[in-house]
Amino acid sequence: MKHLLIAGGTGFIGYHLANRFKKKGWKVTSLSLKKPKKKRFLKGVKYILLDLTKKKHVKKKLNDDYSAIVNLSGHTTNLYSQNLKKKIFESHFSGAKNLINFFKDKKIESFIQIGSSAEYGKAKSPLKETIQCKPNNIYGRAKLKATNYILTVAKKNNMPAAVLRFFQVYGPKQGENRAVMQILKFCMNKKKFPASDGKQIRDFCYINDAIDAIELTIKKKVSNRIINIGNGKGISMRKLINMIKEISNGGKPEFGVMKSRNHENPVLIPSISRAKKILGWKPKIKLKRGLKITKKNFNE
């Protein structure tokens, strides 16, 4: 039986990934600091509590009985907090470093590091995997350092490792601190809420499409590649808010009340030509449809 190890398996993407592979008949093991929330618990998944930043914990609790490893781990809230800089960096770099080093001499079929659009910093869109990255926050720097480290170790040890750079993945069971879920909650409850001018352009990828990309990367045993995963089109935050307002029949956004973050890239749109070429992947779920599905399953 094939065995999938998901670091960060109790999170939003981890839950959907575990569910997909469990249905495929794979054995699934999740690594996380805490037990899964009730809505993300999956019967049949083995949950291991483990701090990946502690090398001794990794050696003690893991073995070589895994076919594929997907690293989704790392601190995901308050990513711009000055007080959490060390925690953010260690969870995204040190954790990834310890994980790849544990498996570098093991026989595995695939190692996938989930990267981030934050690695590009303020580079000009459409963002191609070949451009020079200049991340401008601790999260982006940690993610980029993890990307470079993993690909270096993998190449040196002839490991099948790849990096998938995700752009704004959304969908059912996502945390309510995320943009789409926050806006949905306000609009579904017919409430006023503060917003920026909404001029920022962002790219949103529905969760099923993101999981498809991971599955294809494992299936094709992609090695030594960085691949963008996103919609490839982008939408202004003002249009996104108005779209959610429309499908929710409510909500009163107060545009311009919040200041835009000066350090953020005003336009974040990936080129997805490499994903199409290497994986044969492209997004199937259009934004409006994905938002409707997310709304319908909001309270699950």
Side-chain angles (χ1 to χ4, degrees):
M1 183 185 286
K2 298 274 189 178
H3 192 172
L4 176 65
L5 178 68
I6 309 171
T10 58
F12 161 57
I13 299 174
Y15 163 83
H16 286 279
L17 181 62
N19 196 34
R20 169 77 64 88
F21 277 78
K22 194 169 90 59
K23 288 178 178 177
K24 285 173 64 69
W26 282 48
K27 185 178 178 182
V28 178
T29 296
S30 162
L31 306 178
S32 59
L33 286 171
K34 298 177 182 179
K35 293 179 180 180
K37 294 178 180 178
K38 190 177 180 180
K39 69 177 182 179
R40 292 188 190 144
F41 174 80
L42 286 167
K43 190 176 180 180
V45 171
K46 182 179 180 181
Y47 292 99
I48 297 176
L49 300 185
L50 168 63
D51 184 350
L52 281 173
T53 66
K54 311 292 183 185
K55 194 186 294 186
K56 290 181 179 178
H57 292 191
V58 176
K59 289 182 177 180
K60 185 179 179 180
K61 294 196 175 184
L62 297 186
N63 54 53
D64 56 2
D65 181 38
Y66 307 106
S67 310
I69 295 91
V70 178
N71 183 27
L72 285 154
S73 67
H75 189 75
T76 58
T77 56
N78 299 315
L79 292 177
Y80 304 107
S81 170
Q82 293 298 310
N83 297 329
L84 295 172
K85 270 189 170 184
K86 185 177 180 182
K87 184 175 183 178
I88 292 165
F89 185 83
E90 287 186 351
S91 68
H92 287 284
F93 173 65
S94 301
K97 178 182 177 182
N98 289 338
L99 198 62
I100 191 75
N101 281 334
F102 179 84
F103 287 106
K104 67 182 180 182
D105 55 359
K106 308 286 192 298
K107 290 183 179 180
I108 59 171
E109 295 177 16
S110 182
F111 186 104
I112 300 173
Q113 165 72 6
I114 303 300
S116 169
S117 59
E119 294 176 55
Y120 289 112
K122 286 194 173 183
K124 190 176 180 181
S125 292
L127 298 161
K128 294 186 177 182
E129 297 89 343
T130 52
I131 67 174
Q132 185 178 3
C133 293
K134 294 182 178 180
N136 54 354
N137 59 57
I138 192 66
Y139 171 65
R141 289 194 287 273
K143 278 291 192 182
L144 180 60
K145 192 169 183 179
T147 287
N148 293 335
Y149 187 88
I150 284 166
L151 293 181
T152 299
V153 170
K155 189 174 182 180
K156 184 178 179 181
N157 293 275
N158 198 28
M159 284 180 71
V163 177
L164 299 183
R165 279 188 183 144
F166 281 0
F167 284 69
Q168 295 278 7
V169 180
Y170 72 98
K173 297 187 187 291
Q174 189 172 31
E176 290 184 13
N177 61 326
R178 297 299 177 181
V180 166
M181 302 302 275
Q182 280 185 340
I183 299 164
L184 264 172
K185 188 173 183 179
F186 281 124
C187 290
M188 288 167 67
N189 291 320
K190 324 293 185 190
K191 288 187 176 181
K192 285 184 181 180
F193 60 97
S196 68
D197 57 19
K199 291 179 181 179
Q200 318 95 302
I201 307 293
R202 294 293 179 262
D203 184 280
F204 292 87
C205 181
Y206 187 65
I207 183 63
N208 287 14
D209 287 327
I211 301 303
D212 285 347
I214 296 174
E215 186 175 347
L216 284 165
T217 305
I218 292 172
K219 183 180 179 181
K220 293 178 179 286
K221 299 178 182 177
V222 178
S223 186
N224 199 32
R225 289 286 191 169
I226 299 169
I227 303 174
N228 288 334
I229 301 298
N231 198 40
K233 293 179 180 178
I235 184 172
S236 74
M237 290 303 294
R238 181 181 282 262
K239 284 185 178 180
L240 175 74
I241 290 170
N242 285 331
M243 187 182 289
I244 293 174
K245 182 182 172 183
E246 179 193 337
I247 66 171
S248 302
N249 295 313
K252 298 174 183 177
E254 297 178 304
F255 293 110
V257 171
M258 291 175 63
K259 288 184 179 180
S260 298
R261 295 188 181 115
N262 292 328
H263 63 275
E264 287 187 344
N265 193 331
V267 182
L268 275 173
I269 304 173
S271 163
I272 57 172
S273 57
R274 184 176 280 189
K276 290 177 180 177
K277 184 179 179 180
I278 295 174
L279 301 178
W281 176 93
K282 63 180 181 179
K284 298 173 185 174
I285 308 296
K286 291 185 177 179
L287 181 57
K288 197 166 188 177
R289 183 184 167 204
L291 291 171
K292 285 180 178 179
I293 298 169
T294 305
K295 174 184 171 290
K296 184 180 178 180
N297 297 280
F298 188 87
N299 292 316
E300 286 190 2

